[in-house]
């Protein structure tokens, strides 16, 4: 037989495009259209429906950036269409290649009932099936003219990312607005041919199955009259029945399809627009569930569910019914799909507390999985947090984006820093926007790393990022792929059903230990410094507010602000979403975030002040309130009292220029350039800095990555560096314990204060940057005289180690990484810590000196600022303040303590008497991360703590109030049935912890 395969395949493509798809709607009549443009922000639905619109024609331009236009479409179903399926085709000016990234709409009936959402891949609204001739049609569309921020030439700077700079030019051209007959047979033929054509293209050219499909398609096309597609579609379909009914082979890979619409809670649109995106998507998905009995849809992010409940009660009622039917599934059990690298210990825990509690309160449902398909890597402390919240599984897709190394598994157990293991799955389909194309399903099969040992994978199916969800076309394709020869089998399932099957199928998967590092998007640890500082400081203010409010409630009857703290926690958690905290959203998002953090700071400061005043009482005794988890200057952790004397610091002239600071513990040399040239640990007789190298060195790099400007920093940025050594001023500080350094470069100015506090083994570096650079990267470097093959980096509830070398491609890829409050490097008998109050990104590198002693220089560099131009062209322009401290001679215990200290400065006021802590621990290795009252309003005291040094510890906790009982609980403050409570003996509780173990105790007050 002659090889005519390419001829038939080309014929299929053309006939589908030019004849069959256009015949899906063979008859149409135009609708009458009128529009009212809402001034300013979106208006309530009732106001939009009541507004008087002006007539408008198809082809008209509409929609200022971020505007809302209310379209009214009216028409009459022709009498001759009676008994047929009729739909309104409402094209607002869509580009079908951009679902979720441009204009969208929500359709309402005249009474305000939402019908469904409109987006580029979902432009239809069912009018009648069957339709009634002469039926009047009247629909209203709340249309959002969201501008296209990232188009076919992505990453170009644009002012469209903020309504304050976007202008008023219309963004879209109104396209088709018709009533049309839907020929369902032709529609089914389109799906048949798409499924077979896509499957055929993935099979080997010499596979018999491919040729069976080819001949069936050829016969179908021969049977189709191109001048009467509707009249011959059924006959064409009959020739495809055989190849569509051939069953899959028994060894076929098994795909669990989960209806999905990954909706970024903010990204290339503001938070307020996400509220509407969620409403459109959930309206669509509940409608699709009504039409498709096998379809299952899962939605994560309790915040988004809460938005539907608050803003769209009619849609919420439909969602609740679908949840009760088991087909609209809460997933993930987190408040938002947050970043997991940067949120602190308590914040990461509260993501699960608030997310899981919402689903429990609303639906009585408890999730087994953490659902984070798009998060930019996963911190090594996360597994035990997932387990402590009551979950068992993790799903993500994003690691497939790594640029250097291919992750070796798709299904595995992930082991965290304390030894907790979580069953984890990476969908081999390599997208969280699967559309059921044959190429996607075939890629999942080929790509699956665990063949021969497992055969289940998951496919999140539906348009996402900006929402939209699953379409009827995807559902129809999945139905044909349910059991089809040559393909993986596809079944709609809930996430929990998938994980149960996958775990049973693969009970002993391989284990991956440590962080799940994404070899991409490393700059998200630095971009938008203001947002990151707002997060860090809000986390610590929340700790203080809970601690002092709980202490005051127990001691004085102070009214514990349950509702206020709950609201603020949820606001902070929302802003940890993986495009807000990482700094990858438009300018509008970060402008609002800065304002939100400022408001939160005021509210939490008010709570702290009120609680401390209630505790202190009226008096003249100077009190220092210590919210850190370690005793400081004689003041107990979680208590208040007079501070002990701290010694003194001297400042003298340095020979050759500059200054020397000395407090008897450290002697600090600062040269005439304002650089740190000596940091001598006097007791150890050990110099901290490498010979001939200077610390406190600001370094400036060019920074234009190949893609993803706000997200990425590419390794070649290090090829070019400018050391900022010129100074405007190097002078003594006003306190006699500091040196002030001022530098200018480019359009920017840096003012630093280097302070050696009396009685402390740390040099504090306060840096203020008035930043006006473009596409630059600013680092703060400390070259240390240390030989260390690894270093410790703080993460949630502990720390973990990264190598300082680049032996393999895995280590070399980690040229920019995350820490929380400290990094620590150590030789066996001496170490150094670098701590910070608000930065996350850093790098550590090592060189061997070729002159002098031949020793090793290990350089720690903190990342301060970047200046990408997309998606926010003014990223980080303006004034920023950072605080770092260099701690020579530090053990890991010192690093932990100093990390807390720099983030929780003392608060001072006068009062009547000292304040004893509610709870104390007798071992520094036991770090208390939360002291609060139980969320249920019972008045019980909840204490959360962990082992922080990486060793086993036996410790005694002592309560500062009469305690009648103690329970070990999960993060949601519920007793753990299989865990014996530690004994309570006169207010003393003895606990034993393994390395980095997290524990939550609930203490009943007597």
């Amino acid at each position: 037989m002659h090889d005519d395969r390419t001829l038939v395949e080309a014929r299929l493509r053309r006939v589908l495009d030019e004849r069959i798809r256009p015949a899906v709607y063979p008859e149409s009549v135009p609708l009458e259209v009128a529009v009212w443009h809402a001034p300013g922000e979106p208006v309530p639905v009732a106001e939009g429906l009541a507004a008087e619109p002006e007539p408008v024609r198809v082809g008209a331009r509409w929609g200022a950036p971020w505007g809302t236009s209310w379209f009214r479409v009216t028409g009459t179903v022709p009498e001759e269409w009676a008994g047929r399926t009729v739909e309104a085709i409402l094209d607002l000016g869509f580009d079908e290649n951009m679902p979720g990234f441009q204009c969208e709409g929500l359709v309402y009936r005249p009474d305000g009932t939402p019908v469904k959402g409109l987006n580029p891949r979902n432009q239809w609204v069912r009018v009648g099936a069957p339709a009634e001739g002469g039926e009047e049609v009247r629909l209203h569309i709340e249309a959002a003219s969201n501008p296209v921020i990232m188009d076919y030439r992505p990453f170009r700077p644009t002012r469209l990312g903020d309504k304050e700079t976007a202008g008023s030019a219309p963004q879209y051209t109104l396209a088709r607005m018709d009533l049309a007959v839907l020929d369902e047979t032709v529609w089914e033929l389109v799906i048949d041919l798409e499924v077979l054509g896509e499957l055929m293209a993935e099979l080997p050219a010499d596979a018999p199955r491919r040729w069976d499909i080819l001949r069936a398609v050829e016969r179908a096309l021969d049977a189709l009259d191109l001048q009467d597609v509707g009249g011959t579609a059924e006959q064409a379909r009959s020739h495809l029945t055989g190849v569509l009914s051939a069953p899959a082979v028994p060894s076929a890979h098994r795909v669990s399809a989960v209806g999905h619409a990954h909706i970024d809670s903010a990204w290339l649109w503001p938070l307020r627009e996400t509220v509407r995106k969620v409403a459109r998507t959930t309206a669509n998905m509940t409608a699709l569930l009504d039409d498709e009995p096998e379809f299952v849809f899962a939605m994560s992010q309790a915040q988004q569910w809460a938005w539907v409940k608050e803003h769209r009660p009619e849609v919420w009622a439909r969602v609740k019914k679908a949840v009760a039917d088991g087909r609209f599934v809460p997933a993930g059990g987190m408040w938002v799909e947050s970043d997991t690298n940067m949120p602190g210990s308590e914040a990461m825990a509260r993501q699960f507390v608030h997310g899981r509690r919402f689903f429990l309160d609303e639906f009585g449902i408890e999730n087994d999985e953490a659902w984070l398909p798009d998060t930019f890597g996963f911190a090594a402390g996360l597994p035990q947090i997932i387990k402590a919240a009551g979950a068992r599984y993790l799903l993500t897709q994003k690691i497939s984006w790594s640029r250097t190394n291919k992750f070796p598994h798709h299904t595995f157990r992930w082991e965290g820093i304390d030894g907790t293991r979580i069953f984890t799955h990476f969908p081999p389909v390599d997208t969280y926007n699967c559309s059921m194309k044959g190429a996607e399903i075939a890629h999942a099969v080929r790509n699956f790393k665990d063949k021969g040992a497992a055969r289940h994978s998951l496919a999140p199916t539906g348009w996402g990022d900006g929402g939209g969800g699953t379409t009827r076309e995807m559902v129809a394709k999945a139905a044909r792929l349910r059991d089809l020869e040559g393909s993986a089998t596809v079944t709609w399932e809930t996430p929990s059903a998938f994980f149960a099957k996958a775990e049973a199928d693969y009970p002993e998967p391989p284990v991956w230990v440590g962080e799940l590092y994404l070899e991409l998007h490393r700059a998200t640890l630095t971009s938008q410094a203001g947002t990151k500082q707002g997060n860090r400081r809000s986390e610590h203010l929340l700790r203080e507010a809970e601690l002092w409010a709980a202490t005051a409630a127990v001691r004085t009857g102070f009214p514990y602000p349950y509702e206020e703290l709950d609201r603020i926690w949820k606001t902070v958690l929302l802003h940890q979403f993986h495009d807000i905290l990482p700094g990858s959203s438009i300018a509008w998002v970060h402008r609002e975030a800065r304002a939100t953090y400022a408001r939160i700071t005021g509210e939490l400061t008010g709570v702290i002040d009120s609680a401390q005043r209630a505790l202190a009482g009226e008096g003249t005794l100077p009190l220092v309130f210590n919210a850190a988890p370690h005793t400081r200057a004689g003041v107990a952790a979680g208590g208040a009292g007079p501070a002990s004397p701290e010694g003194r610091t001297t400042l003298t002239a340095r020979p050759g220029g500059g200054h020397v600071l000395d407090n008897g513990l450290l002697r600090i040399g600062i040269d005439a350039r304002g650089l740190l040239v000596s940091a001598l640990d006097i007791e150890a007789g050990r110099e901290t800095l490498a010979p001939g190298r200077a610390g406190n060195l600001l370094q400036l790099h060019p920074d234009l990555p190949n893609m993803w400007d706000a997200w990425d920093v590419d390794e070649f940025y290090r090829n070019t560096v400018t050391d900022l050594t010129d100074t405007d001023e190097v002078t003594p500080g006003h306190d006699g314990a500091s040196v002030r350094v001022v530098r200018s470069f480019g359009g920017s100015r840096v003012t630093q204060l280097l302070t050696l506090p009396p009685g402390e083994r740390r040099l504090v570096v306060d840096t203020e940057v008035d930043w006006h650079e473009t596409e630059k990267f600013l680092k703060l470097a400390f070259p240390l005289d240390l030989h260390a093959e690894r270093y410790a980096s703080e993460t949630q509830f502990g720390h973990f180690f990264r190598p300082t070398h680049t032996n393999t491609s895995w280590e070399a890829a980690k040229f920019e990484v995350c820490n929380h409050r400290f990094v620590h490097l150590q030789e066996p008998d001496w170490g150094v810590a670098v701590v910070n109050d608000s930065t996350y990104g850093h790098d550590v590198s090592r060189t061997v000196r070729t002159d002098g002693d031949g020793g090793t220089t290990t350089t720690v560099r903190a990342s301060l600022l970047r200046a990408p131009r997309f998606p926010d062209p003014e990223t980080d322009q303006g004034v920023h303040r950072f605080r770092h401290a260099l701690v020579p001679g530090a053990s890991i215990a010192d690093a932990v303590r100093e990390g807390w200290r720099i983030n929780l400065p003392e608060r001072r006021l006068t009062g009547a008497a000292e304040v004893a802590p509610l709870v104390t621990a007798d071992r520094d290795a036991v770090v208390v991360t939360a002291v609060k009252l139980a969320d249920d309003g019972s008045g019980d005291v909840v204490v959360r703590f962990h082992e922080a040094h990486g060793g086993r510890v036996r410790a005694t906790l002592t309560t500062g109030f009469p305690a009648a009982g103690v329970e070990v609980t999960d993060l949601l403050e519920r007793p753990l049935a299989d865990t014996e409570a530690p004994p309570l003996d006169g207010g003393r509780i003895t606990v034993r912890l393994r390395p980095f173990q997290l524990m939550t105790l609930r203490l009943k007050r007597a």
Side-chain angles (χ1 to χ4, degrees), residues 234-261:
E234 190 63 52
Q235 182 180 351
R237 290 195 72 202
S238 69
H239 291 284
L240 304 176
T241 302
V243 289
L244 283 169
S245 60
V249 298
S251 61
H253 186 73
R254 298 166 186 173
V255 173
S256 295
V258 178
H260 188 237

Side-chain angles (χ1 to χ4, degrees), residues 385-622:
I385 299 174
I386 294 172
K387 182 179 179 181
R392 302 170 55 197
Y393 307 120
L394 168 67
L395 177 134
T396 185
Q397 181 272 323
K398 200 68 172 189
I399 300 298
S400 70
W401 286 40
S402 285
R403 289 284 177 84
T404 306
N405 299 285
K406 192 77 171 175
F407 197 82
H409 317 296
H410 281 104
T411 301
F412 59 100
R413 291 196 188 277
W414 177 30
E415 181 178 318
I417 57 175
D418 74 317
T420 297
R421 292 180 174 181
I422 293 294
F423 190 86
T424 302
H425 181 67
F426 294 171
V429 71
D430 277 354
T431 178
Y432 46 80
N433 297 325
C434 177
S435 61
M436 281 294 137
K437 288 183 178 178
E440 294 170 335
I441 302 303
H443 175 76
V445 175
R446 287 192 297 266
N447 189 41
F448 188 54
K449 293 287 188 297
D450 305 289
K451 297 184 192 74
R455 63 174 61 179
H456 283 84
S457 71
L458 186 145
T461 302
W463 300 116
D465 291 313
T470 318
T471 65
R472 60 183 178 184
E473 289 79 12
M474 296 174 194
V475 176
K477 286 188 172 185
R480 288 159 174 80
L481 296 172
R482 184 179 183 89
D483 188 15
L484 184 62
E485 182 185 355
S487 172
T489 65
V490 176
T491 306
W492 293 106
E493 291 189 296
T494 64
S496 60
F498 160 75
F499 274 111
K501 288 182 178 180
E503 191 171 28
D505 183 41
Y506 204 12
E508 296 297 331
V511 176
W512 181 271
V513 178
E515 66 180 329
L516 294 172
Y517 178 81
L518 178 64
E519 296 171 352
L520 194 74
H521 292 0
R522 301 167 180 89
T524 58
L525 303 173
T526 305
S527 296
Q528 298 287 0
T531 300
K532 290 171 171 58
Q533 288 184 336
N535 173 74
R536 176 77 71 85
R537 290 165 186 171
S538 295
E539 288 180 355
H540 288 84
L541 286 169
L542 277 161
R543 170 194 173 84
E544 289 192 82
E546 288 183 338
L547 169 66
W548 300 125
T551 306
V554 172
R555 295 278 163 69
T556 73
F558 179 81
Y560 191 80
Y562 291 101
E563 293 183 0
E564 188 174 359
L565 290 173
D566 180 81
R567 172 179 53 79
I568 293 173
W569 261 118
K570 287 174 179 174
T571 301
V572 171
L573 298 178
L574 167 60
H575 286 78
Q576 290 177 340
F577 179 75
H578 66 252
D579 277 308
I580 304 179
L581 179 55
S584 46
S585 289
I586 56 174
W588 188 348
V589 173
H590 294 289
R591 173 172 56 80
E592 288 191 330
R594 291 190 293 271
T596 297
Y597 286 129
R599 186 184 71 249
I600 286 172
T601 296
E603 291 178 307
L604 290 174
T605 301
V607 171
I608 293 164
D609 289 347
S610 297
Q612 289 181 339
R613 178 49 58 197
L615 286 164
E618 296 297 329
T620 58
L621 178 67

Side-chain angles (χ1 to χ4, degrees), residues 15 72 95 97 303 343 373 405 453 501 506 548 589 592 756 761 810 813 824 985:
V15 172
R72 184 185 68 198
D95 180 338
N97 294 317
Q303 171 68 89
N405 299 285
K501 288 182 178 180
Y506 204 12
W548 300 125
V589 173
E592 288 191 330
L756 182 61
R761 192 186 297 273
W810 294 87
H824 178 258
D985 181 11

Side-chain angles (χ1 to χ4, degrees), residues 79-103:
E79 294 289 348
E80 59 271 24
W81 291 2
R84 302 168 76 179
T85 299
V86 176
E87 294 181 343
I89 310 301
L90 307 174
D91 185 346
L92 298 172
F94 297 126
D95 180 338
E96 290 192 3
N97 294 317
M98 291 188 179
F101 291 93
Q102 53 174 239
C103 60

Side-chain angles (χ1 to χ4, degrees), residues 22-78:
V24 168
Y25 291 107
E27 300 176 57
S28 64
V29 295
L31 289 159
E32 293 185 6
V33 187
V35 65
W36 174 71
H37 303 293
E41 285 294 278
V43 300
V45 173
E47 184 177 341
L49 295 176
E52 190 59 41
E54 299 287 336
V56 67
R57 293 182 178 277
V58 167
R61 298 285 291 169
W62 72 278
W66 307 114
T68 301
S69 298
W70 283 84
F71 290 95
R72 184 185 68 198
V73 296
T74 55
T76 303
V77 176

